[in-house]
Amino acid sequence: MVTELIDYLKNKKVMILGFGREGKSTYKFIRKHLKEQLIYISDQKENFWSEEELLQGDEKIICYSGEEYLDHLEEYDVIIKAPGISFVGMDITEYEQKITSQLELFLEFFDVYTIGITGTKGKSTTSSLMYQILQDQGKKSMLLGNIGTPVWDFIEDFQKDTIAVLEMSSHQLEYMKKSPNIAILLNIFPDHLDHYESYEAYARAKCNIFEHQNSTDYFLWNSDNEMLQQLVEKTKGITYSVSFLGREESEVYLKDAAVFIKDKKVYDTKEKCKLVGDYSLNNMMFVLGVSEILNLDLKQTIQTIKQFEPLRHRLQLVGNYDEVTYYDNSIATIPEATIEAVKALQNVDTLIIGGMDRGINYTGLINFINQSEVSNIVCMPKTGHDIADKIEKSTYLVSSMEEAVQIAKKVTQKGKSCLLSPAAASYGFFKNFEEKGDLYQKLIKF
């Protein structure tokens, strides 16, 4: 399988576009197997090569940076693009078919069974849970992709009976011309509007997870989502619709506090589980559907689900301090995720919101907060400041996480909870949501 990929790249003019974690992974793989081939690398960071120890001494590279890093892409045979690079506002018709990625080339050249998972929210938890289910049932599997591990870092460890669980972001899917054997589309909400021309363009990128399937592949999708209802008609795979709202025509649906698969009751939602809230239950319904498709032991699947711990920064319990319980949901970068987090916990007295403005509409969140039992809203810049005057609760405008936590400790009623759930991205203020959540947790404990 590796040989086919190497043969494809050999003697081609290959551009590695973006030299972050995935770009470095791509470079290491190509250089290991094609020691004499000239490699082109381009990144927005000025003179990035001078600071990269990995590139020192390699005379077979040509690098571009700064303002010219997206110039002359039509000259290359293959453009292996990092997920975060956006072509918004650019005419790329001349070279769009040359754009590919680690994930697409993996799907193209590796004959292993693949489960791809995407969605605006829930993909990391669902991917991790699916991987754990396979592990607990003795299946040889690997968890890769947007979860933080570039596929090519472990590409030589795959065997024919390996099942690859791939978390796939919209950025990874945007130009994808291959789809996994099992495609899961959990949900779609407005997000990443700074990267795409429109919400519709973002949704279309997500849909590449199923658009290139064949008649023996499976596609599991959320039939409650109006946007998806308009888009799934194109699929060639075997569809499994999943309905949290109890649409009994769906293959997997919720009814009377139980999950049914094709009208057979398989899971009682009243059973104790460490994953809480409607979003978590929705994620569970998808992995139950996959377990049915793969003929896994459903009882063992349910046991894994009940024991599965929330991932870091995803409705994560930080601890109880001075009779207040603190939760970290810094992964919540859209209003819908914050709303569902408050619903799941039920006893939130203080909510910390705010982050980077990406053009998202906050009317729904404002209305929800005004009608909720939450007493205190701590508003961080920029989005928190922007909507503070529309919130009919006690609002506190702060400029830092230190201030936010200090106020939360003062105003949160004992016996209740404080929740960090920004409803906005962290960029511009923090490196990422992990850094934001880590600081919150550190400050809580002091």
Side-chain angles (χ1 to χ4, degrees), residues 271-291:
E271 293 187 43
K272 190 173 181 181
C273 185
K274 294 178 180 179
L275 294 172
V276 298
D278 290 350
Y279 265 19
S280 294
L281 179 54
N282 184 67
N283 298 339
M284 293 175 207
M285 292 169 69
F286 279 90
V287 298
L288 285 165
V290 175
S291 295

Side-chain angles (χ1 to χ4, degrees), residues 118-122 170 173 184-191 193 198-210 219 221-232 279 282 286 334 336:
T118 196
T120 304
K121 289 298 163 190
S170 60
L173 288 163
I184 296 176
L185 185 40
L186 298 167
N187 48 57
I188 291 183
F189 300 108
D191 198 5
L193 300 185
S198 64
Y199 175 32
E200 289 72 22
Y202 165 69
R204 285 196 301 273
K206 287 285 191 190
C207 289
N208 276 331
I209 198 168
F210 68 81
F219 172 48
W221 64 286
N222 186 334
S223 60
D224 300 327
N225 191 291
E226 290 184 14
M227 174 67 83
L228 286 180
Q229 289 172 11
Q230 301 168 29
L231 296 169
V232 297
Y279 265 19
N282 184 67
F286 279 90
I334 59 171
E336 291 83 359

